Amino acid sequence: MNDMKTIRPAHVPAIPLSGLVRGTSVTGDVSQEVTVTGVTLDSRSVTPGCVYVGLPGTRMHGATFASAAARAGAVAVLTDPEGRDLADDAGIPVLTSVHLRRDMALISRRVFGAPGDRLELFGVTGTNGKTTTVALLEAGLLALGRRAGTIGTVGFRLDGVPVPSGRGTVTTPDSPDLQALLAVMEERGAQAVALEVSSHALVLERVTGLRFDVAAFLNLGHDHLDFHPDVEAYFEAKASLFTPEMAARAVCWTDDVRGAEVARRSRLAGIPVWTVGTDESCDFRLGGYEPVAPLGGRAQLEHAGQAWQIRIALPGYHNMIDAAVALAMLAVAGHPVDIALEGLAVAQVPGRMQQVVLPGEAPCVIVDFAHTPQAVTATLRALRESFDHVVTVIGCGGDRDAAKRPEMGRAAAALSQVVIITDDNPRSEDPGLIRRATMAGAVALGGDAQVEEVAGRRTAIERALGLAGPRSVVAILGKGHEQGQEVAGRILPFDDTVEARDAWARLRGATT
């Protein structure tokens, strides 16, 4: 079911069907005097006045449900040439597009009143750090007195308050839902919105029709090769954000070679570019990083003869990089950095270096979304700044990039004293096969880490806590903010923070 169906603006002006498709590649009979007040991809969320979009699917073409959409009040169907014949008996105009996702995005923009044109938009892309950077942008904007929304993996927020949606973990919603969400945020008073822009969103045209006031590139790592044919295609997807049509300004972390390449391309395209990095040639130079016990950091950021001290309540140099990029984005948008710094100093991110406080003589417990080899390395290095004994719980998702599994096991074993390899979201795969692939990388490292395979994430968390002492840190990696575990087509309730508390309570009960 469409998990965004309840998020729609209260007021949508009716648009004639003929005006809606003008300037697109859409063909078909638009002469009927019908007006449009919505767009949706899900026939079950159709309301009277909607255009129903029938996309091709992996199991069934969406145009198959055109008649059901018509009965629910859809006034037209938009589909591809393959879907046209499937929708012919719907009894409403059937429109065809050879660039279906692009035209869907442009039509959605028109239906919901082009809210992005009036909002200050910040877009962040990169393999790791998007969620944290968006959260830091939010904190800075709120400190500046701007009413701010955020859209990303951990959900949607307005002025720091979650916008309920019942959604899953899709980073960037499809264009009808995204445009509707922006319209809702504008309707509720938002002035600025920070978005995570995933590679999927760019390939699938989810952000087409938006132009970001500032777009940022963080890094490129190993991820999503189940979707992209190779790393080069993955990079090109992310780099496609940096065109004059989509980005008014670019901010790039150029210590990453791919960030330097995006900066170079952006300049050639005529986009104003600001670089962030540790080299003296960077427009914003980051230096002097120091960890702040128990979980935090400080550093200096220099720009155009000015110097600011950044303090954050998140551990690790990788989080400081995200803070520097967020501040650079705000600065080039014309906002005073001194005030924004106050927000960054206290910002927290659900499921990103999130501390779970346990009673008694308990170890420190951190829940983090790290689900790539690079993210695992960054997270564990950050924790080793403050802890000598690291116990890591890690798994890999099923039906996703299998090549990164041994690399993640290797990364965990390289920086932990104890590694518990368990299940993440196995989805349709055999959990044991996923664990063994991850285990192979950890064992092949040949280091001193104690490595165990434990079936069942709940059991693994309890095992990790049992092996940790009061001076240890237990890092529970991979799921972060998620509140469910996907197993064999079912979403089972599972929250790492809750499971850690419950496991500790069981262990304390067993020893009293």
Side-chain angles (χ1 to χ4, degrees), residues 55-90:
L55 291 176
T58 54
R59 296 185 179 90
M60 189 175 292
H61 201 294
T64 305
F65 303 102
S67 293
R71 289 193 294 273
V75 295
V77 177
L78 174 64
T79 189
D80 60 6
E82 180 189 353
R84 180 171 181 81
D85 291 341
L86 296 172
D88 262 346
D89 61 353

Side-chain angles (χ1 to χ4, degrees), residues 138 178 277 347 487:
E138 174 193 44
L178 177 58
V487 182

Side-chain angles (χ1 to χ4, degrees), residues 128-202:
N128 300 305
K130 295 186 297 296
T131 299
T132 299
T133 304
V134 163
L136 293 168
L137 281 167
E138 174 193 44
L141 287 164
L142 293 178
L144 289 161
R146 300 280 285 172
R147 299 202 61 190
T150 61
I151 297 172
T153 310
V154 298
F156 318 128
R157 294 162 63 91
L158 180 59
D159 294 341
V161 178
V163 177
S165 67
R167 71 190 299 264
T169 58
V170 173
T171 299
T172 317
D174 267 308
S175 57
D177 295 332
L178 177 58
Q179 292 288 344
L181 180 58
L182 290 171
V184 167
M185 288 185 171
E186 182 189 25
E187 197 172 65
R188 297 180 184 178
Q191 299 166 296
V193 178
L195 295 84
E196 297 180 48
V197 183
S198 67
S199 59
H200 291 66
L202 290 158

Side-chain angles (χ1 to χ4, degrees), residues 140-310:
L141 287 164
L142 293 178
L144 289 161
R146 300 280 285 172
R147 299 202 61 190
T150 61
I151 297 172
T153 310
V154 298
F156 318 128
R157 294 162 63 91
L158 180 59
D159 294 341
V161 178
V163 177
S165 67
R167 71 190 299 264
T169 58
V170 173
T171 299
T172 317
D174 267 308
S175 57
D177 295 332
L178 177 58
Q179 292 288 344
L181 180 58
L182 290 171
V184 167
M185 288 185 171
E186 182 189 25
E187 197 172 65
R188 297 180 184 178
Q191 299 166 296
V193 178
L195 295 84
E196 297 180 48
V197 183
S198 67
S199 59
H200 291 66
L202 290 158
V203 171
L204 298 175
E205 306 257 19
R206 292 173 180 169
V207 292
T208 294
L210 295 179
R211 188 167 191 256
F212 294 91
D213 293 271
V214 188
F217 185 93
L218 297 172
N219 50 61
L220 191 86
H222 188 152
D223 204 10
H224 299 309
L225 297 190
D226 54 307
F227 180 78
H228 303 282
D230 51 41
V231 172
E232 286 305 313
Y234 177 39
F235 169 67
E236 292 298 339
K238 289 191 173 296
S240 69
L241 175 61
F242 298 87
T243 65
E245 294 76 24
M246 299 191 73
R249 308 174 188 86
V251 169
C252 300
W253 174 256
T254 52
D255 280 22
D256 185 292
V257 65
R258 300 290 192 159
E261 173 62 12
V262 169
R264 185 188 71 81
R265 292 188 188 186
S266 297
R267 289 191 189 96
L268 288 175
I271 303 171
V273 179
W274 286 262
T275 57
V276 189
T278 57
D279 190 84
E280 290 186 1
S281 65
C282 289
D283 299 303
F284 290 83
R285 182 171 179 269
L286 182 65
Y289 172 75
E290 295 177 326
V292 176
L295 296 171
R298 60 174 170 252
Q300 297 287 330
L301 187 65
E302 299 175 2
H303 170 66
Q306 294 181 282
W308 303 284
Q309 184 176 76
I310 310 174

